[in-house]
Amino acid sequence: MSERTKYLLGEEQIPTHWINLTPELPGEPLPPLSPRTGEPAGPEDLGAIFPPGLIAQEVSAEPEVEIPDAVREAYGLWRPTPLYRARRLEAALGTPAKIFYKYEGVSPAGSHKPNTAVPQAYENAQAGIERLATETGAGQWGSALAFACGLFRLGCEVWMVGSSYDQKPYRRSMMQTWGATVHRSPSDRTQSGRDQAAHTTGSLGIAISEAVEVAAQDPACNYALGSVLNHVLLHQTVIGQEAILQMELAEEEPDVIVACVGGGSNFGGLCFPYLRRVREGRSSARFVAAEPAACPTLTRGAYRYDYGDTAGLTPMMPMYTLGHDFVPPPVHAGGLRYHGDSPMVSALVKAGAVEARAYGQNDTFAAAVQFARTEGIIPAPEPAHAIRAVIDEAIAAREAGEARTILFGLCGHGNFDLAAYDAYLGGRLEDTEFSQADMEAALARLPEAPAIA
C-alpha cells in the first residue's frame, strides 16, 4: 500500500461553532461608517438589506458562534471536505517540503462559497424574506447562493460581472439550473448599472451596487454578500477547524499557510482558526495571502475608509483599497477582481501578521497546470495564485535544504474555467498591466472619512 494521500473526517466532526476572530484583531477597533452620515454605522444602515440573525453575527464579540442545526444538516451534503498530501507535486519539485491542501471543490457548487451561502439563506428564510439579490464575479458565489436559496425555497437574482458572464457561460447555466435569474453587469435594470454603462467588462463593485440597489427598494428582498463582511468570514471558518483535525491525523503542524485573497472569505476560512492557535502559542505558522498583480489590493492599495461598492451605497469600511470606482482589468480570476478587502484581513496585513504577494496570470496558470498534471485536479484560476505561492515556498525549501510543512486552500475546481486554460495553453493569455494612474485617480475620489493609521 502506498503512503497515505488523503485525510478524511466523519460527518459527526463537522464543527458545531464558527470561530470569530473579531475580538482578537490587532489595533483599535474601527467601526464601519454610514454612507448617509459618515458616523459609525448602526442597525438602520444594515437592517434594510440584512436579516437580524446575520446582523447579530456581523457585530458579535463572542469568540465562537453556534452553528444552527439546519445549517449543520445542510453542511453534511459535502462536509467535512478532504485534506490531501500533494506527494506527486512534491516529487516533481524535488523539494523536502511537505505540501497539504484542503479541497473545497467537492461542494455542490464546486467551491468554498456554500459554507456561507447556506447560513445566509437560512437566516433570511427565518426572517420571512422571499428572495435574495447578489453579485458574482467568476460565478462561484452566484452558483452557491442559487443552490442555497433552493434549499430554503427563496428566490435568487444574480448580477454577474460582465467579463465573467461572457467568459463563463456554464456558470450561468449552473445558477439557472438551481432556479436563479442572472443579469449581465453593468445592466440597464438599475440606476447603478446605467451609470456605469461605459465600463462594459464590469467589476464586483458595480455588480454589488446593482444588487444592493434592488434589495434596498424591495421589503421582500434582501442582499447577500459572498465575501468581505465579518459574518461571511465567520461562516467559512469550518474550513480551518476541519484542517486542524486533519493535520493532526497526518501528525503534522504547518509552518506556512497559503490562500488566495479577493475579498478575504477563503483566506479567513482556512487561516483564522490557525491565527487563533498562533495567538494561543500552539502554532508558529506564518500566513501568505496571494492576489492577482492586475488587482493588487493588499500589496499596492491604500489603507483607508472606502465604500464596498462602486456607487457608494454600502457602509464605508476600513480596508486596503484601490478606490471604489477602480475597475480592474478583466483577468480570468474573476473572484479576485475586487477593489477592496475584508477589514479583518486588511487589519492583519497592516499589523504584519499576514504577508501579501501578487502574481501575474501566466505565472499562476503555469503553476495551475503543473498542479493538474501531478495531482489531477484542475484548479480554479483564483486558488492558482495560492498554488504559485506554494510552489515558490517549496522551491525555497529545496534551495535552503530545509524541511517545511505547507498547507494551502484549494478553494474550488476549474472545470468551468477551461476557456482560460485554453487561452494559456494556446499562448494567448495576457499579463494585463495594472494601472497605477487609474488607481491614483480612484483614490483621489475616496469619500471623506477619518484618517486611519
Side-chain angles (χ1 to χ4, degrees), residues 33-35 49 208 212 223 306-309 311-317:
L33 304 179
S34 167
I49 56 174
I208 291 171
V212 170
Y223 170 67
D306 197 8
Y307 299 114
D309 71 310
L313 302 178
T314 67
M316 292 177 277
M317 296 176 286

Side-chain angles (χ1 to χ4, degrees), residues 159-181:
W159 273 261
M160 188 173 185
V161 172
S163 58
S164 293
Y165 186 97
D166 300 336
Q167 293 168 351
K168 306 174 194 295
Y170 298 119
R171 288 282 182 193
R172 303 200 311 264
S173 299
M174 286 182 74
M175 293 180 246
Q176 292 163 345
T177 298
W178 278 315
T181 301

